[in-house]
Amino acid sequence: MKEQPHRLKWHILFAITILGIAAGIYSASQTINYNWQWHRVLPYIVDTSPVDIIAQGDGSASINNNSLTITYDNGAPDRIINNADTILVSDGDIIFEGDLLARQENVRMGVLIEGLLTTLEISVISLFFSLFIGLVAALMRISNNPFSKNLSLLYVEVIRGTPLLVQIFIVYFFLGTVFDLERFTAGIVALSVFTGAYVAEILRSGIQSISPGQMEAARSLGMTYPKAMMYVILPQAFKRTLPPMASQLINLIKDSSLVSVISITDLTKAGREVVSGSFATFEVWFTVAALYLLLTSTLSWAIQRIEKRLANNG
Amino acid sequence: MVNAYKGNDMVVTANVDKIYPNNCHALKKVTTNIKRGEVVVIIGPSGSGKSTFLRTLNQLETITDGDIIVDGVNMYDERTNINKLRENVGMVFQSFNLFPHLTVKENVMLAPLKVSKLPKSEVDAEAQTLLKRVGLAEKMDVYPAQLSGGQQQRVAIARALAMKPDMMLFDEPTSALDPEMVGEVLDVMKSLAAEGMTMIVVTHEMGFANEVADRVLFMEDGVLLVDDIPENIFGTVANHPRLQKFLSNIL
């Protein structure tokens, strides 16, 4: 415990530095007279605005015990509204199509949270596909067959050598048109193929870092090559590649912001929409950044836990 | 399976040649035969091809020319299933090569479970028996990294025995061990030999060769120079000048 006072000093310095950065950001915004309005962001996270109930045809209203019944002139079945919080018509009113009949209190996800969920969905689906593509490409790369070796090499070089943004455009406008892909599917294809190339390189280096003696021992026991891979080589390679894999998968979440260019309403696109609606530019982008950080730090934490669990052996 | 000839011979090699892609001529017309239950020790200077020869016997190394017949099966017949053949030939390596992500018992159980597809309860009981036999009953649930070299090598022997092989290959099993651990591994090997296991051992342990071997092969430069009983190899008479020089260097 001799080191304690010394370490405490550095913790205090760290806290002071962070406070200093925060103060710097605040005073910088003061110099441009920026008026912080954090409350404006809130409705885009939790939306509490009431829902309007609109008449769908001409008719008449009758109110009975807080229950609004609309009888339509064209013989359509009556509409009974029981759950309205505010009724905006009176008993016996004549109703025309498009009239505002009542309001209903409602708490629902804001645009930013919807965007966050879209980002999460795209990232999780792409994560599984990119791991699968990466594993296949890595196994092809280390095989002795020149066909699969070269195919995998070409894939990795082409994908690593071109920008993701360009790939998204190519997948959306070319493949999307040829195969009639939805924009969501196109986004997932582009992200999975892009990340798969990096995962392939990570896994290949992991597999090749395992001593050849492991494969020899497995084969000498009568295991086939696939069995030796599955039960002996890959479990060890996965463990070794966890740290670079974590970085790559965090990159995947961040890269998913690029799919906003093909009009997928992910977190980034939602942020852009909210900025144009609320004019709280700084607050919205800081919020968007914090929400991304929430996703990436959760993934980072999960992978660290796996790493710790595997650390006790080998 | 191709049953070319299944008799008293466990291994028959004829004119085995091995040339590496870098033109290194590792084996030159190696011809020998090893009978069932025989313990054969291969000695020779490093680079003499003795390990390469051993590794050709379960095809961890392929050969350039010649024939290898193991348990009546011609290894290079296109109908031969090499995995099936390897199940019957256990191998122990200089660097142990235990699977570090599995516990000691899981190491022993893996191949019977995944290759022979035996029921888990049976495999588990067999693994416990084997580990008791090599003196590691109390280490079943630890990981290999927590064991000493000698203990690891004994686990490796148990792992190879779990497939119930008819022949065991030992590739310098004690060369990576601290001197005080050599004995425990050699003891396990001696008990195996006493039970009648066919064993081919590449080693520098001349005491073991003298005591346990039925035959000693001396290799140099990829050539099988001497093939004799240990009494003649280690006897006082200078029976071969190269062998004499090798022995005087290491003894």
Side-chain angles (χ1 to χ4, degrees), chain B residues 173-195:
Chain B
T174 57
S175 298
L177 297 178
D178 288 341
E180 75 265 29
M181 291 167 185
V182 171
E184 62 191 66
V185 173
L186 290 183
D187 284 345
V188 173
M189 290 168 65
K190 282 175 196 165
S191 77
L192 261 182
E195 285 168 27

Side-chain angles (χ1 to χ4, degrees), chain A residues 38-57:
Chain A
W38 283 102
H39 63 274
R40 285 195 161 202
V41 181
L42 202 62
Y44 300 102
I45 294 174
V46 184
D47 192 350
T48 53
S49 63
V51 176
D52 294 343
I53 296 169
I54 310 284
Q56 279 141 339

Side-chain angles (χ1 to χ4, degrees), chain B residues 129-154:
Chain B
T129 313
L130 280 169
L131 286 168
K132 267 188 204 115
R133 180 174 161 189
V134 298
L136 289 168
E138 74 286 4
K139 298 285 187 188
M140 282 191 207
D141 297 313
V142 306
Y143 287 94
Q146 292 156 266
L147 298 179
S148 73
Q151 290 171 328
Q152 289 193 44
Q153 195 60 297
R154 285 186 281 152

Side-chain angles (χ1 to χ4, degrees), chain A residues 133-203:
Chain A
I133 295 171
L135 179 61
V136 172
L139 291 175
M140 281 168 70
R141 181 73 187 276
I142 58 167
S143 84
N144 283 326
N145 184 323
F147 168 79
S148 40
K149 203 180 195 131
N150 289 338
L151 196 63
S152 167
L153 192 73
L154 184 71
Y155 160 65
V156 170
E157 288 306 318
V158 167
I159 297 299
R160 277 203 314 193
T162 52
L164 175 57
L165 191 57
V166 174
Q167 289 171 22
I168 291 174
F169 283 135
I170 290 175
V171 170
Y172 181 56
F173 289 114
F174 177 66
L175 294 182
T177 313
V178 174
F179 296 106
D180 197 19
L181 297 182
E182 273 183 66
R183 59 184 81 237
F184 193 79
T185 318
I188 285 173
V189 168
L191 275 175
S192 310
V193 169
F194 177 77
T195 309
Y198 289 87
V199 170
E201 281 298 279
I202 292 170
L203 283 179

Side-chain angles (χ1 to χ4, degrees), chain B residues 36 40 43 57 66 72 84 95 124 140 176 182 219 225 236:
Chain B
R36 277 172 206 286
V40 175
I43 59 172
L57 300 182
K84 210 81 204 149
S95 50
D124 192 287
M140 282 191 207
V182 171
M219 288 182 74
L225 278 181
T236 46

Side-chain angles (χ1 to χ4, degrees), chain B residues 30 125 171 227 238:
Chain B
V30 179
D171 189 4
D227 176 350

Side-chain angles (χ1 to χ4, degrees), chain B residues 113-127:
Chain B
L113 280 180
K114 303 300 180 191
V115 178
S116 316
K117 302 207 192 294
L118 297 173
K120 192 163 183 191
S121 56
E122 186 184 314
V123 173
D124 192 287
E126 176 69 18

Side-chain angles (χ1 to χ4, degrees), chain A:
Chain A
M1 285 290 130
K2 259 186 174 172
E3 280 181 30
Q4 198 90 45
H6 200 62
R7 292 178 62 85
L8 186 67
K9 197 170 78 185
W10 292 109
H11 283 302
I12 290 169
L13 183 66
F14 173 76
I16 290 171
T17 309
I18 296 302
L19 284 175
I21 291 171
I25 291 172
Y26 180 75
S27 65
S29 68
Q30 289 301 100
T31 60
I32 54 166
N33 289 325
Y34 190 80
N35 190 14
W36 291 92
Q37 291 178 302
W38 283 102
H39 63 274
R40 285 195 161 202
V41 181
L42 202 62
Y44 300 102
I45 294 174
V46 184
D47 192 350
T48 53
S49 63
V51 176
D52 294 343
I53 296 169
I54 310 284
Q56 279 141 339
D58 300 349
S60 57
S62 61
I63 298 175
N64 190 1
N65 270 347
N66 261 342
S67 165
L68 172 67
T69 306
I70 308 294
T71 314
Y72 289 112
D73 293 343
N74 60 6
D78 288 358
R79 186 172 177 200
I80 302 166
I81 299 158
N82 290 320
N83 49 359
D85 292 288
T86 338
I87 294 173
L88 298 166
V89 290
S90 315
D91 192 27
D93 276 5
I94 294 170
I95 308 290
F96 296 99
E97 186 175 349
D99 280 2
L100 182 58
L101 301 174
R103 282 214 173 96
Q104 204 178 334
E105 297 297 330
N106 194 339
V107 178
R108 55 193 187 280
M109 287 183 295
V111 179
L112 287 180
I113 299 301
E114 277 176 9
L116 180 76
L117 290 182
T118 306
T119 290
L120 185 66
E121 192 182 350
I122 290 180
S123 303
V124 169
I125 297 174
S126 304
L127 186 148
F128 283 111
F129 278 118
S130 60
L131 286 179
F132 177 74
I133 295 171
L135 179 61
V136 172
L139 291 175
M140 281 168 70
R141 181 73 187 276
I142 58 167
S143 84
N144 283 326
N145 184 323
F147 168 79
S148 40
K149 203 180 195 131
N150 289 338
L151 196 63
S152 167
L153 192 73
L154 184 71
Y155 160 65
V156 170
E157 288 306 318
V158 167
I159 297 299
R160 277 203 314 193
T162 52
L164 175 57
L165 191 57
V166 174
Q167 289 171 22
I168 291 174
F169 283 135
I170 290 175
V171 170
Y172 181 56
F173 289 114
F174 177 66
L175 294 182
T177 313
V178 174
F179 296 106
D180 197 19
L181 297 182
E182 273 183 66
R183 59 184 81 237
F184 193 79
T185 318
I188 285 173
V189 168
L191 275 175
S192 310
V193 169
F194 177 77
T195 309
Y198 289 87
V199 170
E201 281 298 279
I202 292 170
L203 283 179
R204 177 182 69 89
S205 67
I207 292 170
Q208 287 178 338
S209 77
I210 306 294
S211 131
Q214 291 289 310
M215 180 54 98
E216 288 182 353
R219 297 303 304 272
S220 78
L221 288 164
M223 287 189 203
T224 57
Y225 180 86
K227 273 186 185 165
M229 264 293 160
M230 190 149 93
Y231 298 115
V232 176
I233 307 297
L234 285 180
Q236 297 181 59
F238 271 125
K239 188 186 149 194
R240 278 192 202 179
T241 53
L242 269 178
M245 198 66 90
S247 305
Q248 196 53 52
L249 297 180
I250 284 169
N251 271 343
L252 167 65
I253 293 179
K254 295 186 294 177
D255 289 341
S256 75
S257 67
L258 287 175
V259 299
S260 60
V261 298
I262 53 171
S263 283
I264 296 174
T265 311
D266 72 327
L267 184 49
T268 302
K269 178 126 189 301
R272 271 213 310 259
E273 284 168 6
V274 170
V275 166
S276 57
S278 68
F279 300 107
T281 316
F282 292 5
E283 292 88 335
V284 169
W285 287 122
F286 276 116
T287 309
V288 167
L291 290 174
Y292 271 112
L293 198 59
L294 182 75
L295 288 186
T296 52
S297 53
T298 308
L299 179 66
S300 173
W301 172 82
I303 293 180
Q304 270 177 35
R305 287 218 22 169
I306 300 174
E307 239 178 290
K308 276 207 182 109
R309 269 192 50 187
L310 294 176
N312 51 8
N313 58 63

